Amino acid sequence: MGRELREPHTVRVIGFIDSGRSGKKLIITTCKHKVHDKFEKKVHTYDLSSQDLETILSVTETSPSAYEFIYDKPLPSRFGLFEDCLTPMHKTDEEIALSSTLSKAVKEILLRLPAKSVAQSKLICKQWLGLIKSESFMRSYFEHKNIGRRPKLMLVGKGTGQSAFCFAPLDTWPSEAPNHCALLDTKVVCSKPCHGMNLVSTATNDYLYNPGTGFHRVYGNPGPQMYIALGSQRINEVEKHAFAVGGKNVGLTFDPLSREHVIVEIVYHQKNFHSRGYRSVCELRWCNSMELAHEYLVPLPPLPVNDMPPAYVGGVLYWMSDPRLGRSYERAIVSFDISTRLFDTIHCPSCITVWSKRSPCSAFVVELLGALCAVLADPVTNSLDVWRLERGRCIWGRAWVIRLEAAPDYSLVTNVVVPLAVDPKDGGILLNTGRKLGVYDPLKQTIQSLYSQDQLPLATSAPHLGVPQRSKFTSSEDNSALDSEILPLVPMVYEESLDCYPRVGLGRWLSFC
């Protein structure tokens, strides 16, 4: 052996190679203490046939490790061997299968199809079924169809067969709605989308829908035995608008732990606006759980909430409180975080916090551009003052002032007007009264009409609703035949997704009194 292997403090054989014509060789590492804190480490090859020793790598380390300092000798060699290989590392069998050229081409085609067509494509073959059901494809499809795009709108009508409701895209409703949708014969309130799903609620049932594919689940509830003291006024004269149904306030959230949607429903059994007393229950339902959990309790909301729907932002539901009930005479926002199962309150902008019996103003919360917004509706100035909560700062800033003086159909004296969404491309604000839908231009302060109940395409199965069928469209006079509280079609914002739950499964209720 040469001096290269006799002098070092450590000598290790770390491998063996067979280089064919060159013969078999050992891979040897050495480490030698030179001066002070320097160590010379080398890698050699030793030819078993010719006994030749060749140095192929030499490194000098100047900073001793704690091991070398304590024991006054170098650490064992940290050299190692690896082998070139094209096999993907840390990938599942599913990812490897979907990485083929054919799978990539199929994926690009499916990403451009409507959700219902993609769902039907599962029946073509096992390969397509595996691709469409994969989490990576479902995530890619959702992002391709929704991220950074304009809000998608549908009209909800009465369904036929197994589905209680039908859905017609707003841009094609004059031609599609008459052929596929009957007019509603019960009051319906729709949530905004939450992880690809919408909640459609009536007085007696809640329906979890994926409007794009038609997937749905039905959850029945008994509804409240409501008693409300209002003196000489009736409750339906005070809170009659398109966004409340059945004496309950229901929202849809998503549980990150169980990876399923959760229905949060606050039901009032009693309200007394004279004594400010109320009695309510809160019920939670996990939309895909098989077992019943009856021991888990959470407290009731710290404040009573008003009858406007909640806003879902970042895993949390938000409601505006009702200052006519309870001990507080000020408005605040009530929150519910499904990850902690706890209610809490956050402050409002000062102009919304203040409340007076004499003031005609109302307030509610909405989600716009992914942020929580508080809205003050003032019928005197006929304007909506929209405040946005800055993310992570707990500071409110005025986002928009929507002036409706030039739009009598959206007057706050006769309507509850809700900002549904904001177009990320041109900044147009989608406004909904239930009976009318339009886009507000913040610069011109004008509204472009998208949908109006005054001109509805008649469904062929609608004679039982008492709607005259003298022409394809009804006039505003004809619409007087409809129940003023029941909207024939209900606008809804949705996300195009492939989300669904297995067809077998029962929901679970948790009731908190």
Side-chain angles (χ1 to χ4, degrees), residues 452-471:
S452 174
Q453 180 182 308
D454 294 341
Q455 284 191 326
L456 279 178
L458 289 178
T460 56
S461 58
H464 65 284
L465 298 179
V467 182
Q469 297 194 51
R470 291 192 295 268
S471 64

Side-chain angles (χ1 to χ4, degrees), residues 13 89 140 142 218 257 313 320 363 377 416 444:
V13 177
M89 300 299 292
S140 297
F142 180 87
V218 185
L257 298 178
V313 181
M320 183 65 69
V416 174
K444 299 179 180 179

